[in-house]
Every structure is written in structure tokens, then in C-alpha cells.
Amino acid sequence: MITSIYFLFVFLPLALCIYHLAAANYKEYILVVLSFVFYGLGCPDYVLLFAGATFATVCIGRMMHRTTDKRMRCLLLIVGIASNLGLLLYYKYKDPVVAAFSNSAQKDTAAIQIVLPLGISFFTFKAVSYLADIYTQKAILSERIVSDMVYLSFFAQIQSGPLARYNDMRQGERCSFDGTLFANGVFRFLIGFSKKILLANMLFHITREVFALPIDKLPMNLAWLGAICFSLQLYFDFAGYSDMAIGLTEMFGYHCRENFNYPYMTESVTKFWRRWHISLSEWFRDYVYIPLGGSRTKRNVQVYFNLLIVWLLTGIWHGASMQFVVWGLGYFAAICLERLTGLPSRITSKSGKFVYRILTLFYINFLWVLFNSPNLTYGLQFIGRMIAGGGHQALHLRAGILLSEYGIFIAAAILFCFPVVPKCEKIMKRDRIAGAIFDIIEALVVLLAFVLSLSFVVAGQNNPFAYANF
Amino acid sequence: MEQKSLVKRIIAYAVVILLIANFIMHASFSEIDSMLQYVGAKGMRQEEADEADALDASYLEQFRLKQRLIDVNGYLTKLLGKREVMGMYITDDARILTAYDETSTDYEYEQTVDFYAFLKANDIRFLYVNEPIKYLDDAAFMESFGAETYSNQNADLLLMRLRDADVPVLDLREELLADGKDIGEMFYRTDHHWNVPAGLWASKQMAEGLNTYCGYDIDVSIYEPSNYEVTTYEDCWLGEQGRKVGRTRVGLEDYQMLAPKFATDFSFKSGTQVAYQGTFDAFLRPEVCNAENDIYESESWHYAYSRINCINNQADSGKVLFLCDSYDQVTEPFLALGVHEMDSVILRDCGDEFPLRDYILEQGYDTVLVAYTQFMIGAHDDATSSNYRMFTFE
């Protein structure tokens, strides 16, 4: 939605004008109203539910904050979390569960097609962290209740995160306009927009085509191309969205935590999740793994059990179907293996470490195949094709044509998986003039990329965020 | 926090100022009302989810930078040598092609055979005409673009089955090859329709088909190109496909308008009643052919010919119901030159309740001519297709 022309040319300028022209006392109220309008544009049927859930969560949080009775605080925490998780379970998991347990002939497909409330998974996790942080007194609450409403409903983060924490939305700065923060935000937004449109959307053409092929037709080379392109597409789609969300957050005077740090540079599967969807990993760490005992339990088995719970939940959070469960368990298995064997730390040679990195990327790539498959069987058969080959011979040709058609986008995507721009910046900024030239070139490239991205959106080559359904 | 350089800050502010300026100058604030109305809407279900983009689509319609940005996009795709744009395939000579899915042809076969039996039982003659798409060889398409397409294979299968069932069939692809025609010259590069000279040629083939299969005696010499006045417009319009990929990607299109040099005399009908008298010129809409028109927003020049139910006062025999599609904007007027009375119907424009067979009997047609572009075959596989009903002859 935030890549739509309507958002860019109507909602955003309107929101910026109203917000920044308003008196400081009204800014947060305006932001809440804007967020509800934004939610209503994306999901009109659930805007009242969203407003109600936000208000109820804030009420419970504030009541918990005021009371000193431990049992009451605990009760409020349970009620708050249970009601939010209840909404998530009802909307996200009711239909898949009903479908799984009912006779296929009796499946009510109309019920299955109910639209999910926009960003319900992200909202629920933010609500849980808000309530838990109040309970543990980590959250430094603002004097104004409306600040809590802003945190839970802020339109920039509601669709796909990042899963900011209450304290991230630093107080006080909203009252005065911070030009540097604003300019950084705009620039970050432009970069994210270009990542999404110029890279993720282009690669989506390949992945959509490849993953729509019947398995019996899928040749090996096309399967590999589709799998690699999906890894790249998902990264630039989600990282692009995160950049835009962070940029928007900064445009409205708030700070936001980072969500990606060149994940495909990872040394191991374990470290991958310290670079990919960082806010989700940290959420599971802080609100599931550590409360379960984390790594500091006396029994080693308990640690693995805790990890199992975390990765099962991570899988199920992404979707109530077997391929997501297996996807989560795939990470659990790899992380356990690395923990048990001490890999890759035990590898001393550079070449060995490099090989391990490549193997890690292959493994992650296979798991992304499951992630993007309509069901577990298709995903496993797809991986089988990647390894064993087969498929429609005539379609071998297609991989070459797709490569020549989208080669420049694939190359750019691979290049920007690595921190080439920060490296160049670091080198050039050793010299003042070279640094200035770098700034000019970077700014112009970002501007050009934004215009080209706009052209793709206007030409109708836009598509929803891959993470919009979670 | 890292402080952005002055240049970056200037650019950041410039972008925001431009967004706000566009918002004010183009009165985008008028959208606020529709935005709030939309937010108040209820009952969003999956089948209506597409409407979630309705605001964006309607704003885009009037978005002033739209055409410039499409042109920018066209430059970029040309620069990158992209041959696949928005599901369309662009050849080196800037012709835009489309791939089509495989189909069993069962529905089309069963409906046509049953319809033919009904007509035969009522002593009404029938001819099925297969109109080609922009390429004749699916394998060559696959070789060129690496994408599967089945349109010609679907047509081959359906026509073979119809011929086996003794249904009269005219395959214009065969006529085209027999005449040594170049398919590339018969279609607009930037539009899926065939051009006017191709329409005239096809009309001649259909007239010959009526003579061969339906016992007509049309003088097909009236379809010789030398009998027509040609008005040529160069680099003047952009077809429906070209508008999506941009003029900068495929360039503008030429247009030829043909009108008979010989005298014509028609009675034109509104519905089934004669409404006015006129000549062939009544079929023409020269106002569409205005090179000054906005190439992106104006009506497609293909529709510079109208389909009008008519009586040709210079022809003695034949009352034909022409079941057709938009390709026949440029065949019906020419074909009507050889037949006494001709009405046309596009089934996708008729509701489910349209009683086709009753209508045929009520109007007393002696011939039903079905002429469909071959991508109609298989449209019934997709219930959301606008062409879903084209083969429902009930």
C-alpha cells in the first residue's frame, strides 16, 4: 500500500502537512487519526476492530501501570495478551484449522477467503511487547496516553513492522521539527521504494512464473533460477518495506529500530537471524526464549526445547500450514547442529569458512523454497527438482531467456546484497572532495531510481509486499 | 545519527516539496472526501478485494504525470532491451505479442456442435470462421521468447474436431498462407487487433466462405483493394497494448482507413428497426482518427469503424446474424457490402438471460456466421474472463 500512487501523492503529502503544521500538543492525536485512516484505506472492514483493539490494549496497559497489586498486574497481563492472541488465532488460524479438520468436500471456501485484518500479526506482537514491557517495567511510559496509541497504531509500521518497542519511539523529539531526521527519513524512504520496485518487483516476475509451474514441467535450471531469485526478491521486498517504514517513522519525528543487516553476508544459519528480520528475532528472544529460560538453564536439553518452541512459533507465526512449520523446524535443526558441533567457529581455514558460508546460503535457499510454496509437497518436490533435475526439456530454454531479460536486475540484486555502497562511501570519504562527489552521485542515483520506480508503478508493474499477509 | 550531506538533504526536501506541490496544484485534496467515504465502506471480502485498489486506480486515471512516467518506463525497458513487459512480448521490430494457455476445447466443441445441430434442424446455414492472432507458429514463439503458448494449437484442435463433426469451418490462417500474406503486415504492432486492410481481406474470405458453404452468390470482386479509397495517417496513434508499454518503447502506429469508391446504399437499424438511411460512410467515425488526440487517453483508432445492424439495399439476398468479436469492427462493414441484411452480436456484451436461439428464430436469419479470434478458444476456462460467454450459444 505504501508503494501506491495514492499513498505517495495524496496520503503522504496530506499527512506530512497536517502533522508538521499542527501545534505540538495535537501532533500525536493527528498521527493516531491518520493511522486509523490509513488502516481504513487498506482494510476498511476491520478499522473499528483495529481501533478497538488498540484502545483496549492501551487501557489494559495503563491500568497495569497504575496498579501496584502484583496479582492484578499479572491478571491484566494475561487478559491483555490472551485477548490479543485470541484475535490473532481467530482471524489468522481459524480457517486453516477448520479446513484441516473438515472433510474436503465440505470445506466452506467462502469462509477461507475472509480477508485478514491488515498487519494483525505485527499488531499482536507489538501489543504483547507493550504489555510485557509495562509489566516488567521496562517501558518508560509517556505521561500522555495518546503516545501509547501512536506506538500501537502508527501507520508506517502497521503493515509489516519493524516490530518496534515502546521505548524506540523516543519521546520529546516530536515537539520540535528535526530537519536532519526528516531528511534522513525521506532519503531512506526513497531507497526502500526503489529496492521494492526496481529489484523485488522485477524478480517477482521470475518467481511468480517459476513457482506457478507444475512440478512435472519444472526443469532443474529454472528451479534454481526461481529459488535464487525468490531469496533475493524476499530480501529486497521486505528490506525495502522496512527502509520505507523506518523512513516514514523518521519523517514523523520518531526513531525506529533496524530490521536488516545484509543477511546474505551471514557466516552461519544461527547468525542469519541476527541479520534478517532482526526485530522479529529479538521479539522471540525477549518474549519467548528468555522467559522460557533461554540458554542459561542447567539442563542442556531445556535449551534445545526452548529453541524448538521458538522456531515452531516462528514457523506458525508465518502461516498455519505445514510448509511453514517445516520451514521453522529447518532453522531449528540447523541451529541445533551448529550449537552441537560448534560450527562454523571450529573451522579455522578461510576457504573452509567460505565453503561453510556458501553451504549456509544453499540451506537458507532451500528453506525459502518451502516458504514460497503453496504446500509442503510442492516445496519438497521443487527442492527435489533442484537436486535431481528432470522436467520439461523445452522449458530449459526459458531459464536462459529469463536470465537475459532480467539479468541486470539479478546482478544488481546480488551486488546490493553486499555492503558495496557503505564500503565505497567509507573509501571515498577519506578525501573531502571525493566524499562530496560520492554524496552527489549517491543522491542523484537515488533520485533517478525513485523516478524510474515511479514509472514502473504508474505502468502497472507493482505488486503487494510479500510480507503483507503475515 | 549520521547526518546526511547537504546535497542529500536538498534532494530529500525537494522530493517532499514536489509531492506537496503536486498535491495542492492538482487539487488532490478533493480526494479527501472519497478517501473518508472509502474508509467507511463495509463488507470487504476476498472477491471484492480488488476494489481495495479502486482509489489508487481512479486517482491514477487522472494523475497528470502518468503518461510522462509511462514514457520514462518505455525508455528504460527499451534501454534494457526488455522483451517481456507486463506479460506481453515485444519482438525486435516492436510488435507486441501475447501468450495463451492450453485448453481442452471441450466446451467450445460441444457448444458449437450443439448450436450447429439446432441451426440445421431449423434450416439455417452456419459457418464458423477462425480469425488468426498475431503469430501463426506457437513453436516459433516458444523459441523466440522461451514461453509456452497454445493459441494456434488450441485452434488446430478445435477446428479438427469441428471438421470431424462436419461443421462448416473456414480457417483464415490457411487462407492467409495460401494467399502468401505476411501476418506481420496484417496486424497493428501496438494493438491486438488486425488492421483495416486485413479486415477487408478477411471480409473477402468470409464472403467466399458464405458462397462455398452457405450457398451465397456474392461477387467477391467488390473486395478488391483497388475498389477502395485509402486514407493514410502516419505515426498517429498507439494501440491498446502500446499504451501499456509506452510510445517510447514501441513507437507510434500508422493507420489506413478504407472506404469503397463505388456507390453504396444502406438502411441502418437501431436494434431490429430501420432508423436511418445512409451510405458506407455511416460506418466510419473519422473523428476518432484525429492525430491531435491524446495518444494515451483517446479512443483506439481500431474503433474508427462501427458495427451497425444494416440492410444493404444494393444486395438482393442473405440475412446473416454475425456472432463476432472486436476484430469484426473492420469486417462487418465490408462484409455487409455483399449481403442484403446483416446484424451482429457480441455475446460477451449480452447478459446471461439473452435468448440467442429464440432471437435467431424470431428474426428469421437464414445464416449464422460465427467469426472469433482464436484466443476466444479457452476463455471459458476462466470464469473471470470478459470473454467467458463467447461460446455459450444457448
Side-chain angles (χ1 to χ4, degrees):
Chain A
M1 191 175 162
I2 59 176
T3 52
S4 71
I5 290 296
Y6 196 80
F7 177 82
L8 274 174
F9 288 91
V10 180
F11 185 87
L12 184 59
L14 180 69
L16 285 172
C17 286
I18 296 175
Y19 180 79
H20 285 293
L21 291 176
N25 273 348
Y26 298 113
K27 282 186 191 293
E28 288 179 305
Y29 293 100
I30 286 167
L31 210 45
V32 171
V33 172
L34 286 171
S35 296
F36 289 151
V37 170
F38 176 87
Y39 199 93
L41 287 172
C43 200
D45 203 35
Y46 293 122
V47 67
L48 289 178
L49 176 80
F50 175 64
T54 306
F55 187 70
T57 305
V58 169
C59 286
I60 292 170
R62 285 287 167 166
M63 281 164 67
M64 193 169 22
H65 179 61
R66 282 189 186 170
T67 185
T68 50
D69 182 348
K70 273 190 175 178
R71 284 201 306 184
M72 179 56 82
R73 283 170 63 81
C74 188
L75 183 67
L76 285 169
L77 177 70
I78 291 168
V79 169
I81 290 178
S83 53
N84 276 291
L85 285 178
L87 282 178
L88 179 67
L89 289 171
Y90 178 77
Y91 282 105
K92 189 164 178 175
Y93 301 107
K94 187 197 84 173
D95 289 333
V97 170
V98 169
F101 284 100
S102 63
N103 185 310
S104 61
Q106 296 172 333
K107 277 179 189 171
D108 182 353
T109 51
I112 289 168
Q113 288 181 340
I114 289 176
V115 175
L116 271 181
L118 180 71
I120 187 165
S121 305
F122 288 91
F123 174 81
T124 304
F125 274 30
K126 277 178 88 172
V128 169
S129 83
Y130 166 76
L131 293 167
D133 285 357
I134 292 176
Y135 181 78
T136 56
Q137 297 182 330
K138 282 181 190 164
I140 304 160
L141 289 190
S142 157
E143 288 174 3
R144 293 153 59 95
I145 293 178
V146 70
S147 302
D148 303 15
M149 300 278 284
V150 169
Y151 164 69
L152 286 174
S153 65
F154 187 30
F155 72 87
Q157 299 171 7
I158 196 61
Q159 192 177 331
S160 307
L163 289 164
R165 304 291 172 80
Y166 186 83
N167 290 344
D168 293 342
M169 307 277 277
R170 283 164 58 180
Q171 308 301 305
E173 288 188 5
R174 66 182 176 279
C175 297
S176 57
F177 179 76
D178 182 339
T180 304
L181 187 66
F182 182 83
N184 281 357
V186 175
F187 218 73
R188 187 75 182 262
F189 180 85
L190 300 183
I191 291 170
F193 190 84
S194 305
K195 277 184 187 175
K196 162 68 180 160
I197 305 295
L198 289 184
L199 296 176
N201 283 5
M202 288 299 120
L203 298 172
F204 173 71
H205 291 297
I206 298 176
T207 58
R208 180 181 51 185
E209 181 179 328
V210 173
F211 280 83
L213 279 174
I215 282 296
D216 59 323
K217 282 191 171 181
L218 183 68
M220 188 184 197
N221 58 356
L222 211 47
W224 274 102
L225 181 67
I228 291 168
C229 284
F230 181 70
S231 295
L232 296 169
Q233 179 215 327
L234 191 64
Y235 169 54
F236 286 103
D237 190 289
F238 198 13
Y241 175 85
S242 296
D243 283 340
M244 293 170 77
I246 293 167
L248 285 170
T249 306
E250 291 180 349
M251 279 189 231
F252 287 87
Y254 294 91
H255 291 276
C256 184
R257 61 178 53 199
E258 290 296 332
N259 217 16
F260 288 88
N261 180 24
Y262 299 101
Y264 295 134
M265 294 267 294
T266 187
E267 297 160 22
S268 65
V269 176
T270 308
K271 288 184 179 173
F272 175 72
W273 280 91
R274 293 175 201 162
R275 292 169 171 270
W276 177 281
H277 204 172
I278 299 167
S279 63
L280 180 72
S281 314
E282 290 177 346
W283 191 95
F284 273 109
R285 182 197 64 198
D286 294 344
Y287 302 108
V288 179
Y289 187 64
I290 292 175
L292 284 171
S295 310
R296 295 183 179 176
T297 58
K298 289 177 182 174
R299 290 185 305 157
N300 216 15
V301 176
Q302 182 69 37
V303 177
Y304 291 102
F305 178 75
N306 295 345
L307 282 171
L308 175 66
I309 297 295
V310 165
W311 286 105
L312 262 180
L313 290 177
T314 305
I316 292 168
W317 182 82
H318 282 89
S321 53
M322 274 312 286
Q323 77 266 28
F324 289 113
V325 173
V326 173
W327 173 79
L329 291 177
Y331 280 107
F332 165 72
I335 289 167
C336 287
L337 184 75
E338 287 179 349
R339 206 177 170 89
L340 285 166
T341 58
L343 286 169
S345 308
R346 289 175 62 181
I347 302 171
T348 50
S349 69
K350 272 192 175 178
S351 58
K353 282 187 185 292
F354 179 75
V355 169
Y356 191 82
R357 275 188 175 195
I358 299 295
L359 290 175
T360 299
L361 289 181
F362 277 130
Y363 187 74
I364 290 167
N365 195 241
F366 286 138
L367 291 179
W368 283 142
V369 169
L370 293 181
F371 189 89
N372 195 41
S373 296
N375 54 57
L376 181 61
T377 311
Y378 183 93
L380 293 174
Q381 288 174 335
F382 194 107
I383 293 169
R385 278 276 184 259
M386 291 171 73
I387 296 166
H392 199 299
Q393 288 307 307
L395 279 171
H396 275 285
L397 187 67
R398 185 68 182 150
I401 285 173
L402 284 173
L403 265 178
S404 68
E405 190 75 12
Y406 294 97
I408 191 160
F409 297 103
I410 296 169
I414 292 170
L415 182 72
F416 289 119
C417 278
F418 302 97
V420 279
V421 178
K423 287 273 182 202
C424 288
E425 186 174 15
K426 198 175 173 185
I427 293 166
M428 290 189 75
K429 291 220 163 159
R430 287 173 192 157
D431 179 76
R432 200 170 60 86
I433 295 171
I437 291 170
F438 175 86
D439 283 339
I440 292 169
I441 291 172
E442 188 194 17
L444 292 177
V445 167
V446 168
L447 188 64
L448 178 67
F450 177 66
V451 173
L452 295 179
S453 303
L454 269 183
S455 81
F456 276 104
V457 175
V458 169
Q461 299 188 63
N462 196 6
N463 51 271
F465 285 99
Y467 252 72
N469 290 328
F470 295 124
Chain B
M1 178 180 42
E2 182 210 357
Q3 185 156 340
K4 292 288 175 200
S5 73
L6 183 64
V7 182
K8 292 179 190 173
R9 289 183 72 162
I10 289 169
I11 284 183
Y13 283 119
V15 168
V16 172
I17 288 166
L18 284 173
L19 288 179
I20 293 170
N22 177 75
F23 179 77
I24 295 167
M25 287 167 63
H26 295 159
S28 299
F29 42 78
S30 63
E31 289 288 324
I32 296 170
D33 185 43
S34 56
M35 187 196 295
L36 295 176
Q37 279 183 19
Y38 182 81
V39 172
K42 285 281 176 189
M44 282 283 291
R45 300 284 163 192
Q46 188 63 56
E47 62 269 25
E48 295 169 25
D50 288 345
E51 291 178 20
D53 296 327
L55 274 180
D56 199 40
S58 75
Y59 182 72
L60 192 57
E61 281 300 308
Q62 37 134 349
F63 184 52
R64 296 187 184 205
L65 296 172
K66 180 183 172 186
Q67 291 161 18
R68 284 184 195 171
L69 285 167
I70 288 177
D71 283 342
V72 167
N73 195 255
Y75 271 124
L76 181 65
T77 54
K78 192 172 186 176
L79 188 71
L80 295 173
K82 269 179 69 59
R83 303 201 318 149
E84 290 180 34
V85 182
M86 298 180 70
M88 293 177 286
Y89 299 85
I90 305 173
T91 63
D92 294 339
D93 56 350
R95 287 192 306 128
I96 303 174
L97 309 179
T98 312
Y100 299 93
D101 292 336
E102 189 173 17
T103 183
S104 69
T105 73
D106 288 347
Y107 184 79
E108 291 81 4
Y109 171 75
E110 285 159 14
Q111 283 286 321
T112 309
V113 167
D114 188 59
F115 188 45
Y116 177 55
F118 162 78
L119 295 172
K120 205 170 175 183
N122 287 283
D123 203 21
I124 299 168
R125 287 159 291 186
F126 177 78
L127 177 62
Y128 181 87
V129 180
N130 183 65
E131 296 172 339
I133 56 164
K134 292 168 90 170
Y135 52 91
L136 296 172
D137 187 348
D138 293 346
F141 185 94
M142 173 78 182
E143 203 170 305
S144 178
F145 297 105
E148 289 180 307
T149 183
Y150 292 93
S151 182
N152 287 291
Q153 296 163 78
N154 292 337
D156 290 343
L157 179 61
L158 176 63
L159 298 186
M160 185 190 76
R161 294 175 77 185
L162 291 178
R163 280 171 172 150
D164 287 348
D166 291 330
V167 177
V169 165
L170 174 66
D171 185 356
L172 291 185
R173 295 174 304 168
E174 292 167 359
E175 307 304 320
L176 199 143
L177 291 171
D179 272 11
K181 289 277 183 187
D182 177 359
I183 187 99
E185 290 178 1
M186 302 193 75
F187 284 82
Y188 298 115
R189 287 183 303 101
T190 68
D191 198 278
H192 61 287
H193 294 111
W194 53 20
N195 54 31
V196 182
L200 176 64
W201 173 85
S203 302
K204 182 185 176 188
Q205 307 308 315
M206 288 187 211
E208 285 178 346
L210 288 173
N211 289 346
T212 306
Y213 296 103
C214 303
Y216 278 59
D217 187 22
I218 301 168
D219 174 11
V220 294
S221 69
I222 61 171
Y223 298 112
E224 288 304 318
S226 57
N227 291 327
Y228 292 82
E229 198 79 59
V230 182
T231 310
T232 301
Y233 303 82
E234 287 183 357
D235 292 339
C236 52
W237 75 293
L238 200 54
E240 290 171 14
Q241 294 170 311
R243 292 173 192 208
K244 292 177 182 168
V245 301
R247 68 195 286 183
T248 44
R249 178 67 183 89
V250 287
L252 292 179
E253 189 83 64
D254 296 340
Y255 186 81
Q256 284 190 321
M257 181 174 264
L258 305 184
K261 291 174 181 171
F262 51 88
T264 55
D265 178 13
F266 284 96
S267 301
F268 292 100
K269 296 193 277 186
S270 174
T272 54
Q273 301 300 316
V274 172
Y276 57 97
Q277 304 292 321
T279 64
F280 185 90
D281 287 352
F283 287 111
L284 306 178
R285 299 174 63 215
E287 70 277 10
V288 175
C289 304
N290 182 353
E292 300 301 313
N293 285 347
D294 185 324
I295 58 160
Y296 284 104
E297 300 299 332
S298 60
E299 192 174 1
S300 165
W301 285 38
H302 176 69
Y303 293 93
Y305 283 79
S306 305
R307 285 185 305 101
I308 315 173
N309 292 350
C310 61
I311 295 169
N312 180 353
N313 297 314
Q314 292 174 321
D316 299 329
S317 61
K319 183 169 182 178
V320 175
L321 175 64
F322 192 25
L323 297 177
C324 58
D325 58 37
S326 60
Y327 271 44
D328 299 296
Q329 293 294 131
V330 290
T331 57
E332 196 212 12
F334 296 115
L335 194 54
L337 291 168
V339 178
H340 175 63
E341 192 168 353
M342 175 168 265
D343 296 345
S344 67
V345 168
I346 296 183
L347 285 177
R348 68 171 169 231
D349 298 338
C350 304
D352 289 341
E353 69 285 354
F354 177 63
L356 174 65
R357 295 186 183 193
D358 293 345
Y359 176 77
I360 289 168
L361 297 179
E362 278 169 21
Q363 295 302 316
Y365 296 110
D366 61 49
T367 305
V368 173
L369 178 63
V370 175
Y372 281 166
T373 319
Q374 64 192 36
F375 61 68
M376 295 299 165
I377 304 166
H380 194 269
D381 294 352
D382 176 7
T384 64
S385 167
S386 59
N387 296 318
Y388 182 73
R389 288 195 78 255
M390 290 298 272
F391 272 91
T392 306
F393 301 126
E394 288 167 353

